[in-house]
Amino acid sequence: MSSNSGDSRGLFSGNLGYILAVAGSAVGLGNIWRFPYLTAKYGGGIFLLIYFLLLFTFGYALIMAETSLGRNTRLSPVGAYRTFADKQHSFLKIGGWLNAIVPMIILPYYCLIGGWVIKYMFEYLTGGSASAAADGFFVGFITSNFVPVVWHLLFLGCTAFIILLGVQKGVERASVVMMPILLVLAFVIAVYSMTRPGAGAGIAYYLIPDFSKFSIMTVVAACGQLFFSLSVGMGILITYGSYMKKDVDVEKATIRIGLMDTTVAMLAGFMIIPAVFAFSGGDAAAVNAGPGLMFITLPKVFESMGMGSFIGAAFFIMVFFAALTSSISILETCVSTLTDELKWSRTRATMFMFFEAIALGIPCSLGFGAWDFISIAGLSILDMMDFLASSILCPLCALLTCILISRVVGTQKIVDEIKSTSAFKGEAVFRFCLTYLAPVILLLVLASSVAATLGFIKI
Ligand code: TRP
């Protein structure tokens, strides 16, 4: 996947090449870090139920739609929107750019969390498993203002370095080995967590929906998580689809990627949520620990396993790789927009994104320390950026994509594109979701997240 225009467009080699590349980009911190803490925060089972309902209906439809739109037009999101935005729909011109901005907002805080992962990796590699498990270690770390920024720079530096050297392929190949190890390791840790005394309450919290915990924000959060984890609703899949060969079965590939992504997320939930109950007594504060949940809970699990340093080091190394393959693809997306649309060189685009990610990453980090007084609707700076990207901009972009497809490109064209290689058993579901269900849910989500930002609903 190298050049971006016309016939010189590099293509993924066949089915497996496509699936592995997209899965490498999809499986990352979204699954291991973000999914468990949101599930814990938004009521456990009820969040899970809504996540699955959304995934099988409108998530599926959106992934298929974006991918086939890309494969059919062989364009990046900005190009695809520009090509189709006719006179009646000139507002769609900005749609492409809205899509392109989302990864630019995600990159800074993604790399900050990536930096936290590196910090923990080093802590474990240097035998600090007991100190990492101690109460207050995490809070001490993230409130230390510029210290996390140094780790952030390290993670961002790795990402930018790999993009500049053009060695993504090497990293992707390494991660093909790392991923299965991560899965096995996560499975072992999950079984261990689930068999601790007191973990049963956590498993129940995770799996059994408690309808009294339902609020419209559960839907907003689940929808945001779907976008973040599957990298959908931000035009990424349009780009990936445009690199897809005409003989890849879009439906099968989509289902496999979705399965992989969901499996990793579910496993991460089984590792972390029962452990919160077993190791922190399930108190409300621990369940609501927010972005720090994984970093607070897992070290306690590793410590109690007896081989804390070894398991902890192995775990954080794997997570580092999973995060790196995702951050590479986030940065690559930004760079390709800038090189295609503004005709910048790759180096210039990469350097621009590097400094942008520093400029926005620093406030995210300080938001837990010196700047913790800055907050909207109770959210820290990092949470605000995350909310803006996944709960406001992604739904908006996804809505525009639905309009683009159903009103301008024509759903039939996309259906034909999918049918050219797939049996497309889900055609009826697809048509219904794309034309009716998705726009309704998206409007609802957008209205709620705007209302929440203005303080009318509690986030
Ligand atoms: N989906 C990735 C994860 O779960 C993160 C991600 C968000 C991403 N946006 C992206 C990856 C854009 C690639 C491109 O961690």
Side-chain angles (χ1 to χ4, degrees):
M1 195 181 125
S2 49
S3 157
N4 243 348
S5 57
D7 293 324
S8 60
R9 213 169 176 77
L11 297 176
F12 288 117
S13 49
N15 242 319
L16 196 64
Y18 179 78
I19 294 179
L20 288 179
V22 179
S25 122
V27 175
L29 293 173
N31 311 63
I32 305 162
W33 156 74
R34 200 173 186 277
F35 179 81
Y37 94 72
L38 285 177
T39 309
K41 180 173 168 188
Y42 287 100
I46 186 73
F47 179 89
L48 198 65
L49 177 69
I50 292 177
Y51 184 79
F52 274 105
L53 285 179
L54 289 178
L55 176 66
F56 288 129
T57 52
F58 109 124
Y60 159 81
L62 278 179
I63 304 175
M64 298 277 286
E66 277 197 17
T67 314
S68 335
L69 182 66
R71 191 172 72 165
N72 187 275
T73 58
R74 294 256 176 262
L75 290 166
S76 64
V78 182
Y81 271 87
R82 192 181 337 90
T83 312
F84 291 111
D86 50 23
K87 282 225 175 59
Q88 293 155 317
H89 302 91
S90 55
F91 65 94
L92 285 175
K93 276 199 189 112
I94 119 164
W97 279 103
L98 273 183
N99 274 293
I101 284 172
V102 176
M104 298 185 185
I105 299 178
I106 292 180
L107 185 71
Y109 70 84
Y110 202 89
C111 289
L112 179 63
I113 309 290
W116 295 0
V117 171
I118 302 188
K119 157 80 183 173
Y120 273 70
M121 190 170 95
F122 272 91
E123 197 65 29
Y124 278 99
L125 286 173
T126 53
S129 71
S131 62
D135 283 332
F137 177 85
F138 176 74
V139 173
F141 169 60
I142 60 159
T143 51
S144 54
N145 296 319
F146 282 101
V147 179
V149 173
V150 176
W151 297 99
H152 165 233
L153 280 181
L154 202 58
F155 188 88
L156 176 62
C158 289
T159 310
F161 196 64
I162 292 165
I163 293 279
L164 278 180
L165 290 184
V167 291
Q168 289 100 299
K169 283 263 152 45
V171 180
E172 268 158 32
R173 239 169 263 148
S175 83
V176 169
V177 182
M178 299 283 191
M179 281 295 169
I181 309 180
L182 175 67
L183 274 179
V184 174
L185 196 64
F187 185 77
V188 172
I189 300 169
V191 170
Y192 180 83
S193 287
M194 285 156 64
T195 49
R196 287 315 88 200
I203 302 175
Y205 180 79
Y206 184 28
L207 296 182
I208 303 173
D210 173 354
F211 290 90
S212 71
K213 293 210 167 72
F214 177 85
S215 90
I216 187 67
M217 289 322 278
T218 323
V219 182
V220 174
C223 187
Q225 175 59 20
L226 194 79
F227 288 134
F228 193 99
S229 187
L230 290 165
S231 333
V232 70
M234 45 184 116
I236 309 282
L237 294 174
I238 303 184
T239 311
Y240 272 103
S242 73
Y243 293 119
M244 187 197 236
K245 275 192 183 159
K246 283 282 184 191
D247 59 0
V248 175
D249 185 326
V250 183
E251 189 179 37
K252 264 204 191 118
T254 299
I255 292 176
R256 290 200 183 141
I257 293 160
L259 266 179
M260 246 186 267
D261 191 74
T262 313
T263 310
V264 179
M266 282 298 289
L267 263 182
F270 277 120
M271 263 184 340
I272 295 174
I273 298 174
V276 176
F277 284 71
F279 292 88
S280 321
D283 66 271
V287 177
N288 271 314
L293 192 65
M294 160 178 135
F295 297 91
I296 295 169
T297 308
L298 285 182
K300 293 195 198 300
V301 178
F302 299 151
E303 191 57 11
S304 105
M305 286 172 102
M307 304 180 291
S309 300
F310 176 73
I311 302 221
F315 178 78
F316 282 107
I317 291 172
M318 304 302 153
V319 175
F320 170 66
F321 264 86
L324 196 60
T325 50
S326 299
S327 68
I328 291 170
S329 94
I330 303 177
L331 179 55
E332 175 64 37
T333 313
C334 305
V335 168
S336 73
T337 310
L338 295 173
T339 49
D340 280 4
E341 298 305 317
L342 305 181
K343 306 283 174 254
W344 287 5
S345 70
R346 274 185 75 79
T347 314
R348 182 170 173 194
T350 311
M351 291 319 283
F352 174 82
M353 286 312 303
F354 180 77
F355 287 111
E356 185 254 8
I358 296 177
L360 294 179
I362 290 176
C364 287
S365 186
L366 292 183
F368 294 107
W371 290 1
D372 64 359
F373 58 90
I374 301 179
S375 105
I376 297 179
L379 298 178
S380 67
I381 300 179
L382 185 151
D383 283 321
M384 276 193 258
M385 280 178 55
D386 191 32
F387 190 80
L388 173 66
S390 40
S391 297
I392 298 183
L393 291 177
C394 280
L396 187 59
C397 292
L399 187 63
L400 290 177
T401 303
C402 286
I403 297 176
L404 182 76
I405 290 176
S406 58
R407 294 291 152 84
V408 189
V409 180
T411 314
Q412 189 58 41
K413 191 164 172 186
I414 298 299
V415 169
D416 290 343
E417 175 68 41
I418 300 172
K419 276 194 169 161
S420 70
T421 48
S422 313
F424 203 14
K425 296 195 194 79
E427 183 183 341
V429 180
F430 175 83
R431 281 181 187 271
F432 174 75
C433 290
L434 200 72
T435 333
Y436 304 105
L437 187 71
V440 172
I441 295 183
L442 290 165
L443 278 174
L444 192 74
V445 163
L446 257 179
S448 317
S449 43
V450 171
T453 317
L454 299 175
F456 296 121
I457 313 178
K458 195 175 160 295
I459 293 185

